[in-house]
Amino acid sequence: MPQTHLIAGNWKMNGLKSALPVAQSIAAQSRDHPNARVALFPPATLLPLMAEALADSDVILGGQDCHHADSGAYTGDVSAAMLKDAGARMVILGHSERRHGHLEPCALVARKARAALRAGREPILCIGETLDQRQSGLAQQVLERQLTDSLP
């Protein structure tokens, strides 16, 4: 069986409905590369529209984050079940912007990963050191701790 690579594009907080043709172009080009899984992670507002626009393609859609709870009074958050309902098959967790910008600890990333798995979504766990940690020679230690502590 040939090795399958994952090529993933995180759109972050970019993209409006007018960007759907970009996703369709990516889907069309990805047909030429059968040994690669192609995944797009648009903003949550685009997931249902993109799922419909890419229904006939092999492009995998994913959410950019999810809450650790399946439902509840969490204004503005999105659960893994909601991502599934919107057409997402994957979810990015522990991205550096979430870890450092939103101060999300590894334990929370692990809880989110468990929520993604409960909903049948494939989690992508991100790890990464800061520039200061790298320059201080702590990169390996930080990465090992993040990976170990973020696994569900």
Side-chain angles (χ1 to χ4, degrees), residues 76-146:
D77 285 343
V78 178
S79 72
M82 294 166 88
L83 291 175
K84 178 180 180 178
D85 190 56
R89 292 175 30 205
M90 295 178 145
V91 59
I92 298 172
L93 302 168
H95 198 284
S96 60
E97 287 119 13
R98 304 296 307 182
R99 287 182 186 272
H100 305 296
H102 293 273
L103 305 177
E104 292 188 359
C106 295
L108 179 57
V109 175
R111 291 175 71 192
K112 290 178 176 192
R114 281 192 291 278
L117 292 169
R118 275 194 313 271
R121 304 306 82 196
E122 181 179 351
I124 294 179
L125 295 179
C126 300
I127 59 172
E129 78 283 5
T130 64
L131 179 58
D132 287 342
Q133 291 166 332
R134 184 179 322 132
Q135 291 175 339
S136 298
L138 299 172
Q140 187 69 28
Q141 179 184 343
V142 168
L143 297 178
E144 286 176 5
R145 181 191 50 80
Q146 284 183 355

Side-chain angles (χ1 to χ4, degrees), residues 11 15 22 26 31 37 46 59-60 68 73 82 87 95 97 106 132:
W11 288 25
V22 173
I26 291 168
R31 288 186 182 103
R37 295 191 308 158
L46 287 182
V59 171
I60 301 163
H68 61 84
M82 294 166 88
H95 198 284
E97 287 119 13
C106 295
D132 287 342

Side-chain angles (χ1 to χ4, degrees), residues 46-60:
L46 287 182
L47 274 172
L49 295 170
M50 200 170 284
E52 184 178 323
L54 301 178
D56 294 330
S57 80
D58 291 330
V59 171
I60 301 163

